[in-house]
Coordinates of all heavy atoms in Angstrom, one line a residue:
M11 N 88.8 46.5 -80.6 CA 87.3 46.4 -80.2 C 87.2 46.1 -78.8 O 87.8 45.2 -78.2 CB 86.7 45.4 -81.1 CG 85.1 45.2 -80.9 SD 84.5 44.1 -82.0 CE 83.1 45.1 -82.6
R12 N 86.4 46.8 -78.0 CA 86.2 46.6 -76.6 C 85.3 45.4 -76.3 O 84.2 45.2 -77.1 CB 85.6 47.8 -76.0 CG 86.5 48.9 -75.7 CD 85.8 50.1 -75.0 NE 84.9 49.6 -73.9 CZ 83.9 50.5 -73.5 NH1 83.9 51.7 -73.9 NH2 83.1 50.0 -72.5
P13 N 85.6 44.7 -75.3 CA 84.7 43.5 -75.0 C 83.4 44.2 -74.3 O 83.4 45.1 -73.6 CB 85.3 42.7 -73.9 CG 86.4 43.7 -73.4 CD 86.7 44.6 -74.5
T14 N 82.3 43.6 -74.6 CA 80.9 44.0 -74.1 C 80.9 43.6 -72.6 O 81.1 42.6 -72.3 CB 79.9 43.5 -74.9 OG1 79.9 42.1 -74.9 CG2 79.9 43.9 -76.3
L15 N 80.6 44.6 -71.8 CA 80.4 44.4 -70.4 C 79.0 44.4 -70.0 O 78.1 45.0 -70.7 CB 81.2 45.5 -69.6 CG 82.7 45.5 -69.7 CD1 83.2 46.7 -69.0 CD2 83.2 44.2 -69.3
R16 N 78.6 43.9 -69.0 CA 77.3 43.8 -68.5 C 76.9 45.1 -67.9 O 77.8 45.9 -67.7 CB 77.0 42.6 -67.7 CG 77.2 41.4 -68.3 CD 76.4 40.2 -67.6 NE 77.0 39.0 -67.9 CZ 76.3 38.3 -68.9 NH1 75.3 38.8 -69.4 NH2 76.7 37.1 -69.4
M17 N 75.7 45.3 -67.4 CA 75.3 46.5 -66.9 C 76.2 46.8 -65.6 O 76.4 46.0 -64.8 CB 73.8 46.4 -66.5 CG 73.1 47.7 -65.9 SD 71.5 47.2 -65.7 CE 70.7 48.9 -65.7
A18 N 76.6 48.0 -65.5 CA 77.4 48.6 -64.4 C 78.7 48.0 -64.3 O 79.4 48.0 -63.3 CB 76.6 48.5 -63.0
G19 N 79.1 47.3 -65.4 CA 80.5 46.7 -65.4 C 80.7 45.3 -64.7 O 81.8 44.8 -64.6
H20 N 79.6 44.7 -64.2 CA 79.8 43.4 -63.6 C 79.7 42.3 -64.6 O 78.6 42.0 -65.1 CB 78.6 43.2 -62.5 CG 78.7 44.3 -61.5 ND1 79.6 44.4 -60.6 CD2 78.0 45.4 -61.2 CE1 79.5 45.4 -59.7 NE2 78.4 45.9 -60.1
A21 N 80.9 41.6 -64.9 CA 80.9 40.6 -66.0 C 80.3 39.3 -65.5 O 79.2 38.8 -65.8 CB 82.2 40.5 -66.4
N22 N 81.0 38.6 -64.6 CA 80.5 37.3 -64.0 C 80.8 37.3 -62.6 O 81.2 36.2 -61.9 CB 81.4 36.2 -64.6 CG 81.1 36.1 -66.1 OD1 80.0 36.3 -66.5 ND2 82.2 35.8 -66.9
T23 N 80.4 38.2 -61.7 CA 80.3 38.1 -60.4 C 79.1 37.8 -59.8 O 78.0 38.2 -60.2 CB 80.8 39.7 -59.8 OG1 79.8 40.6 -60.2 CG2 82.1 40.0 -60.3
L24 N 79.2 36.8 -58.8 CA 78.1 36.4 -58.3 C 78.4 36.1 -56.7 O 79.2 35.3 -56.4 CB 77.5 35.0 -58.9 CG 76.2 34.3 -58.1 CD1 75.1 35.2 -58.5 CD2 76.1 33.0 -58.9
H25 N 77.6 36.8 -55.8 CA 77.9 36.6 -54.4 C 76.9 35.6 -53.9 O 75.7 35.6 -54.0 CB 77.7 37.8 -53.8 CG 78.5 39.0 -54.1 ND1 79.9 39.0 -53.9 CD2 78.5 40.1 -54.9 CE1 80.6 40.1 -54.3 NE2 79.6 40.7 -55.1
M26 N 77.6 34.5 -53.3 CA 76.8 33.4 -52.8 C 76.6 33.8 -51.3 O 77.2 34.4 -50.6 CB 77.6 32.2 -52.8 CG 78.0 31.6 -54.2 SD 76.7 31.2 -55.2 CE 76.3 29.6 -54.4
D27 N 75.3 33.2 -51.0 CA 75.0 33.3 -49.5 C 76.0 32.4 -48.6 O 76.0 31.2 -48.9 CB 73.5 32.8 -49.3 CG 73.0 33.0 -48.0 OD1 73.6 33.6 -47.2 OD2 71.9 32.6 -47.7
P28 N 76.6 32.9 -47.7 CA 77.4 32.0 -46.9 C 76.8 30.9 -46.2 O 77.4 29.8 -46.0 CB 78.0 33.1 -45.8 CG 77.8 34.4 -46.4 CD 76.5 34.4 -47.2
A29 N 75.5 31.1 -45.8 CA 74.9 29.9 -45.2 C 74.6 28.9 -46.2 O 74.8 27.6 -45.8 CB 73.4 30.3 -44.6
L30 N 74.3 29.1 -47.4 CA 74.2 28.1 -48.4 C 75.3 27.4 -48.8 O 75.4 26.3 -49.0 CB 73.4 28.7 -49.7 CG 71.9 29.2 -49.5 CD1 71.4 29.7 -50.8 CD2 71.1 27.8 -49.1
V31 N 76.4 28.2 -48.8 CA 77.7 27.6 -49.0 C 78.2 26.6 -48.1 O 78.6 25.6 -48.3 CB 78.9 28.7 -49.3 CG1 80.3 28.1 -49.4 CG2 78.5 29.6 -50.5
K32 N 77.9 27.0 -46.7 CA 78.2 26.0 -45.6 C 77.4 24.8 -45.7 O 77.9 23.7 -45.5 CB 78.0 26.9 -44.4 CG 78.5 26.1 -43.1 CD 78.2 27.0 -41.9 CE 78.5 26.1 -40.7 NZ 78.2 26.8 -39.4
Y33 N 76.2 25.0 -46.0 CA 75.3 23.8 -46.1 C 75.8 22.9 -47.2 O 75.8 21.7 -47.1 CB 73.9 24.2 -46.3 CG 73.0 23.1 -46.6 CD1 72.5 22.3 -45.4 CD2 72.4 22.8 -47.8 CE1 71.7 21.3 -45.7 CE2 71.6 21.8 -47.9 CZ 71.2 21.0 -46.9 OH 70.4 19.9 -47.2
A34 N 76.0 23.6 -48.3 CA 76.4 22.6 -49.5 C 77.7 21.9 -49.2 O 77.9 20.7 -49.6 CB 76.6 23.5 -50.8
N35 N 78.7 22.6 -48.5 CA 79.9 22.0 -48.1 C 79.7 20.8 -47.2 O 80.3 19.7 -47.3 CB 80.9 23.1 -47.6 CG 82.2 22.4 -47.4 OD1 82.7 21.5 -48.1 ND2 83.0 23.0 -46.6
M36 N 78.8 21.0 -46.2 CA 78.5 20.0 -45.3 C 77.8 18.9 -45.9 O 78.0 17.6 -45.6 CB 77.6 20.6 -44.2 CG 77.4 19.6 -43.1 SD 76.3 20.2 -41.8 CE 74.8 20.4 -42.6
Y37 N 76.9 19.1 -46.9 CA 76.2 18.0 -47.6 C 77.2 17.2 -48.3 O 77.1 15.9 -48.5 CB 75.1 18.7 -48.5 CG 74.4 17.7 -49.3 CD1 73.3 17.1 -48.7 CD2 74.6 17.3 -50.6 CE1 72.6 16.0 -49.3 CE2 73.8 16.5 -51.3 CZ 72.7 15.8 -50.6 OH 72.1 14.8 -51.4
V38 N 78.2 17.8 -49.0 CA 79.1 17.0 -49.8 C 80.0 16.2 -49.0 O 80.3 15.0 -49.3 CB 79.9 18.0 -50.7 CG1 81.1 17.3 -51.4 CG2 79.1 18.6 -51.8
H39 N 80.4 16.7 -47.8 CA 81.2 15.9 -47.0 C 80.6 15.3 -45.7 O 81.0 15.4 -44.6 CB 82.4 16.9 -46.3 CG 83.2 17.5 -47.6 ND1 84.1 16.8 -48.3 CD2 83.3 18.8 -48.0 CE1 84.7 17.4 -49.2 NE2 84.1 18.8 -49.1
R40 N 79.5 14.9 -45.9 CA 78.5 14.4 -44.9 C 79.3 13.2 -44.2 O 79.1 13.1 -42.8 CB 77.2 13.9 -45.5 CG 76.3 13.3 -44.4 CD 75.0 12.9 -45.1 NE 74.4 14.2 -45.6 CZ 73.2 14.1 -46.0 NH1 72.5 12.9 -46.2 NH2 72.6 15.2 -46.5
M41 N 80.0 12.4 -44.9 CA 80.6 11.2 -44.3 C 81.6 11.7 -43.2 O 81.9 10.8 -42.3 CB 81.1 10.3 -45.3 CG 82.4 10.8 -46.0 SD 82.2 12.2 -47.0 CE 81.5 11.5 -48.5
R42 N 82.2 12.8 -43.3 CA 83.2 13.2 -42.4 C 82.6 13.7 -41.1 O 83.2 13.6 -40.1 CB 84.0 14.5 -42.9 CG 84.8 14.1 -44.1 CD 85.6 15.4 -44.6 NE 86.3 15.1 -45.9 CZ 87.0 16.0 -46.5 NH1 86.9 17.2 -46.1 NH2 87.5 15.8 -47.7
Y43 N 81.4 14.1 -41.1 CA 80.7 14.7 -39.9 C 79.7 13.7 -39.2 O 79.2 14.0 -38.1 CB 80.0 16.0 -40.1 CG 80.8 17.0 -40.9 CD1 80.7 17.4 -42.2 CD2 81.8 17.6 -40.1 CE1 81.5 18.3 -42.7 CE2 82.7 18.5 -40.6 CZ 82.5 18.9 -41.9 OH 83.2 19.9 -42.5
F44 N 79.6 12.5 -39.8 CA 78.6 11.5 -39.3 C 79.2 10.9 -38.0 O 80.4 10.5 -37.9 CB 78.4 10.4 -40.2 CG 77.4 9.4 -39.7 CD1 76.1 9.6 -39.6 CD2 77.9 8.2 -39.3 CE1 75.2 8.7 -39.2 CE2 77.0 7.2 -38.8 CZ 75.7 7.5 -38.7
R45 N 78.4 10.8 -37.0 CA 78.8 10.0 -35.7 C 77.7 9.0 -35.3 O 76.5 9.3 -35.5 CB 78.9 11.1 -34.5 CG 79.9 12.1 -34.9 CD 81.3 11.9 -34.1 NE 82.0 13.0 -34.2 CZ 83.1 13.0 -34.8 NH1 83.7 12.0 -35.2 NH2 83.9 14.1 -34.9
W46 N 78.1 7.9 -34.9 CA 77.2 7.0 -34.4 C 76.7 7.3 -33.0 O 77.4 7.5 -32.1 CB 77.7 5.6 -34.3 CG 77.8 4.9 -35.7 CD1 78.9 4.6 -36.5 CD2 76.7 4.4 -36.4 NE1 78.5 4.0 -37.5 CE2 77.1 3.8 -37.6 CE3 75.2 4.3 -36.1 CZ2 76.2 3.2 -38.5 CZ3 74.4 3.7 -37.0 CH2 75.0 3.2 -38.2
T47 N 75.4 7.7 -32.8 CA 74.9 8.1 -31.6 C 73.7 7.1 -31.3 O 73.3 6.3 -32.2 CB 74.4 9.5 -31.7 OG1 73.3 9.7 -32.6 CG2 75.4 10.5 -31.8
P48 N 73.2 7.0 -30.1 CA 72.0 6.2 -29.9 C 70.8 6.5 -30.9 O 70.1 5.6 -31.3 CB 71.6 6.5 -28.4 CG 72.9 6.9 -27.8 CD 73.6 7.7 -28.8
R49 N 70.7 7.8 -31.1 CA 69.5 8.0 -32.1 C 69.8 7.5 -33.5 O 68.9 6.9 -34.2 CB 69.4 9.6 -32.1 CG 68.3 10.1 -33.1 CD 68.1 11.6 -33.0 NE 67.0 12.1 -33.7 CZ 67.1 12.4 -35.0 NH1 68.3 12.5 -35.5 NH2 65.9 12.8 -35.7
T50 N 71.1 7.8 -34.0 CA 71.3 7.2 -35.3 C 71.4 5.7 -35.4 O 71.0 5.1 -36.3 CB 72.6 7.8 -35.9 OG1 73.6 7.4 -35.0 CG2 72.5 9.4 -36.1
A51 N 71.8 5.1 -34.3 CA 71.7 3.6 -34.3 C 70.3 3.2 -34.3 O 70.1 2.2 -35.0 CB 72.4 3.1 -33.0
W52 N 69.4 3.7 -33.5 CA 68.1 3.2 -33.6 C 67.3 3.6 -34.9 O 66.6 2.7 -35.4 CB 67.2 3.8 -32.4 CG 67.4 3.2 -31.1 CD1 68.0 3.6 -30.0 CD2 66.9 1.9 -30.8 NE1 68.0 2.6 -29.1 CE2 67.2 1.5 -29.5 CE3 66.2 0.9 -31.5 CZ2 67.0 0.3 -29.0 CZ3 65.8 -0.4 -31.0 CH2 66.3 -0.6 -29.6
M53 N 67.6 4.6 -35.5 CA 67.1 4.9 -36.8 C 67.5 4.0 -37.8 O 66.8 3.5 -38.7 CB 67.4 6.4 -37.2 CG 66.7 7.4 -36.4 SD 67.1 9.1 -36.9 CE 66.6 9.2 -38.5
T54 N 68.8 3.7 -37.8 CA 69.3 2.7 -38.7 C 68.7 1.3 -38.5 O 68.4 0.6 -39.4 CB 70.9 2.5 -38.6 OG1 71.5 3.9 -38.8 CG2 71.4 1.6 -39.6
F55 N 68.6 0.9 -37.3 CA 67.9 -0.4 -37.1 C 66.5 -0.4 -37.5 O 66.1 -1.5 -38.1 CB 68.0 -0.6 -35.6 CG 67.3 -1.9 -35.1 CD1 67.8 -3.1 -35.4 CD2 66.0 -1.9 -34.5 CE1 67.2 -4.3 -35.1 CE2 65.3 -3.0 -34.2 CZ 65.8 -4.2 -34.4
T56 N 65.8 0.6 -37.2 CA 64.5 0.7 -37.6 C 64.3 0.6 -39.2 O 63.4 -0.2 -39.6 CB 63.8 2.0 -37.1 OG1 64.0 2.1 -35.7 CG2 62.3 2.1 -37.5
Y57 N 65.1 1.4 -39.9 CA 64.9 1.5 -41.4 C 65.6 0.3 -42.1 O 65.1 0.1 -43.2 CB 65.4 2.8 -42.0 CG 64.5 4.0 -41.5 CD1 64.9 4.9 -40.7 CD2 63.2 4.0 -42.0 CE1 64.1 6.0 -40.5 CE2 62.3 5.1 -41.7 CZ 62.8 6.1 -40.9 OH 61.9 7.1 -40.6
V58 N 66.4 -0.4 -41.4 CA 67.2 -1.5 -42.2 C 66.7 -2.8 -41.7 O 66.7 -3.7 -42.5 CB 68.8 -1.3 -41.9 CG1 69.5 -2.5 -42.5 CG2 69.2 0.0 -42.6
V59 N 66.3 -3.0 -40.5 CA 65.8 -4.4 -40.0 C 64.3 -4.3 -39.7 O 63.7 -5.3 -40.2 CB 66.6 -4.6 -38.7 CG1 66.3 -6.0 -38.1 CG2 68.2 -4.7 -39.1
A60 N 63.8 -3.5 -38.9 CA 62.5 -3.6 -38.3 C 61.5 -3.4 -39.4 O 60.5 -4.2 -39.5 CB 62.3 -2.6 -37.2
I61 N 61.5 -2.4 -40.2 CA 60.5 -2.1 -41.2 C 60.5 -3.2 -42.3 O 59.4 -3.8 -42.5 CB 60.5 -0.6 -41.7 CG1 60.2 0.3 -40.6 CG2 59.6 -0.5 -43.0 CD1 60.1 1.8 -40.9
P62 N 61.6 -3.5 -42.8 CA 61.5 -4.5 -43.9 C 61.1 -5.9 -43.4 O 60.4 -6.7 -44.0 CB 62.9 -4.7 -44.4 CG 63.5 -3.3 -44.1 CD 62.9 -2.9 -42.8
S63 N 61.4 -6.3 -42.1 CA 61.1 -7.6 -41.6 C 59.6 -7.5 -41.3 O 58.9 -8.6 -41.5 CB 61.9 -7.9 -40.4 OG 61.6 -7.0 -39.3
A64 N 59.0 -6.5 -40.8 CA 57.6 -6.4 -40.6 C 56.9 -6.5 -41.8 O 55.8 -7.2 -42.0 CB 57.3 -5.1 -39.8
L65 N 57.4 -5.7 -42.8 CA 56.6 -5.9 -44.2 C 56.8 -7.1 -44.8 O 55.8 -7.8 -45.4 CB 57.2 -4.9 -45.1 CG 56.8 -3.3 -44.9 CD1 57.6 -2.3 -45.8 CD2 55.3 -3.2 -45.0
G66 N 57.9 -7.9 -44.6 CA 58.1 -9.3 -45.1 C 57.1 -10.2 -44.4 O 56.7 -11.1 -45.1
Y67 N 57.0 -10.1 -43.1 CA 56.1 -10.9 -42.3 C 54.7 -10.8 -42.8 O 54.0 -11.8 -42.9 CB 56.2 -10.6 -40.9 CG 55.3 -11.4 -39.9 CD1 55.5 -12.8 -39.6 CD2 54.2 -10.8 -39.4 CE1 54.6 -13.4 -38.9 CE2 53.3 -11.5 -38.7 CZ 53.5 -12.8 -38.4 OH 52.7 -13.5 -37.6
V68 N 54.2 -9.6 -42.9 CA 53.0 -9.4 -43.4 C 52.6 -9.9 -44.8 O 51.6 -10.5 -45.0 CB 52.4 -7.9 -43.4 CG1 51.2 -7.5 -44.1 CG2 52.5 -7.3 -41.8
A69 N 53.6 -9.7 -45.6 CA 53.5 -10.2 -47.0 C 53.5 -11.7 -47.0 O 52.7 -12.4 -47.8 CB 54.6 -9.8 -47.9
Y70 N 54.3 -12.4 -46.2 CA 54.3 -13.9 -46.0 C 53.0 -14.5 -45.5 O 52.6 -15.5 -45.9 CB 55.5 -14.4 -45.2 CG 55.6 -15.8 -45.0 CD1 56.1 -16.5 -46.1 CD2 55.2 -16.4 -43.9 CE1 56.2 -18.0 -46.0 CE2 55.4 -17.8 -43.8 CZ 55.9 -18.6 -44.8 OH 55.9 -19.9 -44.7
M71 N 52.5 -13.7 -44.5 CA 51.2 -14.2 -43.9 C 50.0 -14.1 -44.8 O 49.0 -14.7 -44.6 CB 51.0 -13.6 -42.6 CG 52.1 -13.9 -41.4 SD 52.4 -15.7 -41.3 CE 51.0 -16.2 -40.3
T72 N 50.0 -13.1 -45.7 CA 48.9 -12.9 -46.5 C 49.0 -13.4 -47.9 O 48.3 -13.0 -48.8 CB 48.5 -11.4 -46.5 OG1 49.8 -10.6 -47.1 CG2 48.2 -10.8 -45.1
D73 N 50.1 -14.1 -48.2 CA 50.3 -14.5 -49.5 C 49.3 -15.5 -49.9 O 49.0 -16.5 -49.3 CB 51.8 -15.2 -49.5 CG 52.1 -15.6 -51.0 OD1 51.8 -14.9 -51.8 OD2 52.9 -16.7 -51.1
G74 N 48.8 -15.2 -51.0 CA 47.6 -16.1 -51.6 C 46.3 -15.9 -51.0 O 45.4 -16.7 -51.4
K75 N 46.1 -15.0 -50.0 CA 44.7 -14.9 -49.5 C 43.9 -14.0 -50.1 O 42.7 -13.7 -49.9 CB 44.9 -14.5 -48.0 CG 45.5 -15.5 -47.1 CD 45.5 -15.1 -45.6 CE 46.0 -16.1 -44.8 NZ 46.0 -15.9 -43.4
W76 N 44.3 -13.1 -51.0 CA 43.6 -12.1 -51.7 C 43.8 -12.3 -53.2 O 44.9 -12.4 -53.7 CB 44.1 -10.7 -51.3 CG 44.1 -10.5 -49.7 CD1 45.1 -10.6 -49.0 CD2 42.8 -10.2 -49.0 NE1 44.8 -10.3 -47.7 CE2 43.3 -10.2 -47.7 CE3 41.6 -10.1 -49.3 CZ2 42.4 -9.9 -46.5 CZ3 40.7 -9.8 -48.2 CH2 41.2 -9.8 -46.9
E77 N 42.7 -12.2 -53.9 CA 42.7 -12.3 -55.3 C 41.8 -11.1 -55.7 O 40.7 -11.0 -55.7 CB 42.0 -13.6 -55.8 CG 42.0 -13.8 -57.3 CD 43.3 -13.9 -57.9 OE1 44.2 -14.5 -57.3 OE2 43.6 -13.3 -58.9
L78 N 42.5 -10.1 -56.3 CA 42.0 -8.9 -56.8 C 41.7 -8.8 -58.2 O 41.1 -7.8 -58.5 CB 42.8 -7.7 -56.2 CG 43.2 -7.7 -54.7 CD1 44.0 -6.6 -54.4 CD2 41.8 -7.5 -53.9
R79 N 42.2 -9.6 -59.0 CA 42.0 -9.6 -60.4 C 40.8 -10.6 -60.8 O 40.6 -11.6 -60.3 CB 43.2 -10.0 -61.2 CG 44.4 -9.1 -60.9 CD 45.6 -9.4 -61.7 NE 45.6 -10.5 -62.3 CZ 46.7 -11.1 -63.1 NH1 47.8 -10.4 -63.0 NH2 46.6 -12.2 -63.7
G80 N 40.1 -10.1 -61.9 CA 39.0 -10.9 -62.3 C 37.7 -11.1 -61.5 O 37.0 -12.1 -61.5
K81 N 37.4 -10.1 -60.6 CA 36.3 -10.1 -59.7 C 35.1 -9.4 -60.4 O 35.3 -8.4 -61.1 CB 36.7 -9.5 -58.4 CG 37.7 -10.2 -57.5 CD 37.1 -11.6 -57.2 CE 38.2 -12.4 -56.3 NZ 37.8 -13.6 -56.1
R82 N 34.0 -9.9 -60.1 CA 32.8 -9.3 -60.5 C 32.0 -8.7 -59.4 O 32.3 -9.0 -58.2 CB 32.0 -10.3 -61.3 CG 32.5 -10.9 -62.6 CD 31.6 -11.7 -63.3 NE 32.3 -12.3 -64.5 CZ 31.8 -13.2 -65.2 NH1 30.6 -13.7 -64.8 NH2 32.4 -13.7 -66.2
R83 N 30.9 -8.0 -59.7 CA 30.3 -7.3 -58.6 C 29.6 -8.4 -57.9 O 28.9 -9.3 -58.2 CB 29.1 -6.4 -59.3 CG 28.4 -5.7 -58.2 CD 27.4 -4.7 -58.9 NE 28.1 -3.8 -59.8 CZ 27.4 -3.0 -60.4 NH1 26.1 -2.8 -60.4 NH2 28.2 -2.1 -61.2
G84 N 29.8 -8.3 -56.5 CA 29.2 -9.2 -55.6 C 30.2 -10.3 -55.2 O 30.0 -11.1 -54.1
D85 N 31.3 -10.5 -55.9 CA 32.3 -11.5 -55.4 C 33.2 -11.0 -54.3 O 33.4 -9.8 -54.2 CB 33.3 -11.8 -56.6 CG 32.5 -12.6 -57.7 OD1 31.4 -13.2 -57.5 OD2 33.2 -12.7 -58.8
V86 N 33.7 -11.9 -53.4 CA 34.4 -11.4 -52.4 C 36.0 -11.4 -52.7 O 36.4 -12.3 -53.6 CB 34.2 -12.3 -51.1 CG1 32.8 -12.0 -50.5 CG2 34.4 -13.8 -51.4
A87 N 36.7 -10.7 -52.2 CA 38.2 -10.7 -52.5 C 38.9 -11.7 -51.8 O 40.0 -12.0 -52.2 CB 38.7 -9.3 -52.3
S88 N 38.5 -12.1 -50.6 CA 39.3 -13.0 -49.8 C 39.0 -14.4 -50.3 O 38.0 -14.8 -50.8 CB 38.9 -13.0 -48.3 OG 37.5 -13.4 -48.3
E89 N 40.1 -15.3 -50.3 CA 40.2 -16.6 -50.8 C 40.2 -17.7 -49.7 O 40.4 -18.9 -50.0 CB 41.2 -16.8 -51.9 CG 41.1 -16.0 -53.0 CD 40.0 -16.4 -54.0 OE1 39.7 -17.6 -54.0 OE2 39.5 -15.5 -54.6
F90 N 40.1 -17.3 -48.4 CA 40.3 -18.2 -47.4 C 38.9 -18.3 -46.6 O 38.0 -17.7 -46.7 CB 41.4 -17.9 -46.5 CG 41.3 -16.5 -45.9 CD1 40.8 -16.3 -44.6 CD2 41.8 -15.4 -46.5 CE1 40.8 -15.0 -44.1 CE2 41.6 -14.1 -46.1 CZ 41.1 -13.9 -44.8

């Protein structure tokens, strides 16, 4: 019995786009191509130190100043 072939005899052939293959390979091996540059250093500092510390400062300074639960019409949200 003959194996069933797909249309025009192509069983499991799939041609990948070379640009997508290159991008996928670069994405998997990202740690090999990473370099510390001034831009990456500033971005790392911003996202790891500056933004969390600013949010922490704002949260610490406004802790307990706002009560948003159990308010009725006409009540103010601020507690200070």
Side-chain angles (χ1 to χ4, degrees):
M11 182 175 229
R12 274 181 49 191
T14 57
L15 297 175
R16 298 199 189 271
M17 187 177 202
H20 299 290
N22 290 322
T23 58
L24 178 64
H25 296 286
M26 299 292 290
D27 183 12
L30 290 176
V31 172
K32 182 178 178 182
Y33 174 75
N35 189 27
M36 186 182 67
Y37 182 78
V38 170
H39 300 291
R40 180 178 295 181
M41 72 294 280
R42 293 183 185 175
Y43 303 111
F44 179 77
R45 303 261 189 237
W46 280 107
T47 61
R49 181 177 185 264
T50 57
W52 276 110
M53 286 177 62
T54 302
F55 174 77
T56 301
Y57 288 116
V58 173
V59 177
I61 291 176
S63 62
L65 289 175
Y67 175 76
V68 169
Y70 181 75
M71 296 307 288
T72 59
D73 186 33
K75 289 188 177 181
W76 306 99
E77 182 63 45
L78 300 177
R79 293 182 357 184
K81 294 295 179 184
R82 295 182 182 173
R83 185 177 301 181
D85 290 344
V86 292
S88 62
E89 297 291 329
F90 57 98

